[in-house]
Amino acid sequence: MHDMTSQWAVNQYIVGTVTMLYPKEKLAAITIQHQRLVASLDASLEVDKRYWFRIKHVTPVLTLQMVVPSDSISVLSDYLKVNKELLTVFHYTHTPFTQQLLDELESLRKKERRTRKQLCEAVVACKRHWSVSVTPEHLKWIWLVGNQTLNVQTMTNKLQQWLKQQNIFEKSVNKDGNRSDEQQSGAMFQLVKRYQNDYANDPSFQIIYAYFALKNEQKKHRRPIDIKL
């Protein structure tokens, strides 16, 4: 069974159901996303009840702090003083989050002049289309790429056109027949990285860079794509 704790970090918020209590040891068995875990707790809990927890420690023993005595998103939203719709997206995509991440995303939304709906859609795209972690940088890349139907060959062609416009010759852009799409996108990411600083203000280049950067992150996670916005 996959160890879910490997994706968790201190100060993340998660929701779980208490299935058994061990009062003497101050431990509880908790089910989180269909996986049963044993954690150290510092509050009185009830069996078969769901709670919001904050992760205090991941190792050597998973230690949780109960922050909301229910699984209510509205109550957690009031507790954290953050947008309810954004919390709902994190909850239903099974994505752990911290107060810091929520604050960073809200600051990014304002800086990029995006609506809260666009922010929520980008979070969903991170998890369910691109299969990458939710970070401000990944959201910026997703907004650059937009909802276009793109693939590696299309973006390779766009890169070729852009290089031609800049009078830059790169032999490695042409796709070798033996290369898979993953190998091609990896090679293109290494190429565009070399021009990122010099063309940071070029909108056309930034879209190309964002696409191959997302493909590179997607490869790291090795998780399947299941939906597209």
Side-chain angles (χ1 to χ4, degrees):
M1 182 179 290
H2 176 64
D3 181 10
M4 291 176 58
T5 60
S6 63
Q7 65 178 301
W8 292 341
V10 173
N11 290 327
Q12 286 179 333
Y13 290 86
I14 54 177
V15 65
T17 303
V18 176
T19 58
M20 190 172 293
L21 296 172
Y22 306 95
K24 290 182 179 179
E25 296 84 1
K26 294 185 178 180
L27 297 174
I30 300 172
T31 300
I32 300 171
Q33 296 177 31
H34 308 293
Q35 183 168 344
R36 189 169 180 270
L37 305 165
V38 175
S40 173
L41 294 156
D42 58 1
S44 297
L45 306 176
E46 296 178 31
V47 173
D48 295 329
K49 190 170 179 181
R50 287 170 62 79
Y51 301 87
W52 276 103
F53 300 101
R54 181 179 69 85
I55 298 174
K56 295 179 67 176
H57 304 286
V58 177
T59 58
V61 177
L62 179 64
T63 305
L64 305 177
Q65 175 191 11
M66 189 273 287
V67 293
V68 173
S70 72
D71 60 357
S72 168
I73 295 173
S74 295
V75 175
L76 184 66
S77 173
D78 292 340
Y79 174 80
L80 296 177
K81 295 181 174 57
V82 296
N83 179 257
K84 178 182 174 181
E85 286 71 24
L86 183 58
L87 278 185
T88 301
V89 168
F90 274 95
H91 178 53
Y92 286 108
T93 56
H94 304 297
T95 306
F97 56 88
T98 64
Q99 175 87 60
Q100 180 180 347
L101 175 61
L102 296 175
D103 292 343
E104 287 175 354
L105 296 184
E106 181 63 16
S107 295
L108 175 68
R109 182 190 71 79
K110 293 176 180 177
K111 181 180 178 181
E112 297 289 321
R113 298 181 179 180
R114 299 283 179 166
T115 65
R116 285 211 170 89
K117 180 181 178 182
Q118 289 174 315
L119 176 60
C120 291
E121 289 174 342
V123 171
V124 172
C126 269
K127 302 301 296 182
R128 300 210 174 158
H129 173 54
W130 291 100
S131 295
V132 298
S133 58
V134 179
T135 70
E137 184 173 46
H138 293 168
L139 263 61
K140 285 196 290 185
W141 292 343
I142 285 170
W143 283 329
L144 280 168
V145 171
N147 292 328
Q148 306 172 70
T149 301
L150 304 172
N151 56 46
V152 173
Q153 188 57 58
T154 299
M155 295 308 292
T156 297
N157 293 341
K158 287 182 179 291
L159 177 57
Q160 285 178 317
Q161 294 168 6
W162 180 84
L163 290 167
K164 186 176 180 180
Q165 292 169 358
Q166 306 302 320
N167 294 315
I168 300 172
F169 176 73
E170 286 281 358
K171 183 179 179 180
S172 62
V173 175
N174 298 316
K175 183 175 179 181
D176 186 315
N178 296 321
R179 276 184 187 171
S180 66
D181 277 356
E182 184 175 292
Q183 290 170 329
Q184 175 69 7
S185 65
M188 294 305 95
F189 177 64
Q190 294 304 316
L191 191 158
V192 295
K193 269 204 315 185
R194 301 206 303 265
Y195 298 102
Q196 170 65 351
N197 291 335
D198 292 338
Y199 293 93
N201 296 319
D202 184 319
S204 297
F205 174 79
Q206 287 305 309
I207 293 172
I208 296 168
Y209 177 84
Y211 176 82
F212 286 118
L214 282 167
K215 293 295 288 186
N216 185 65
E217 289 298 313
Q218 188 182 77
K219 181 173 65 176
K220 291 178 184 177
H221 287 74
R222 298 282 185 183
R223 290 204 299 253
I225 298 173
D226 52 13
I227 70 167
K228 181 170 183 176
L229 288 179

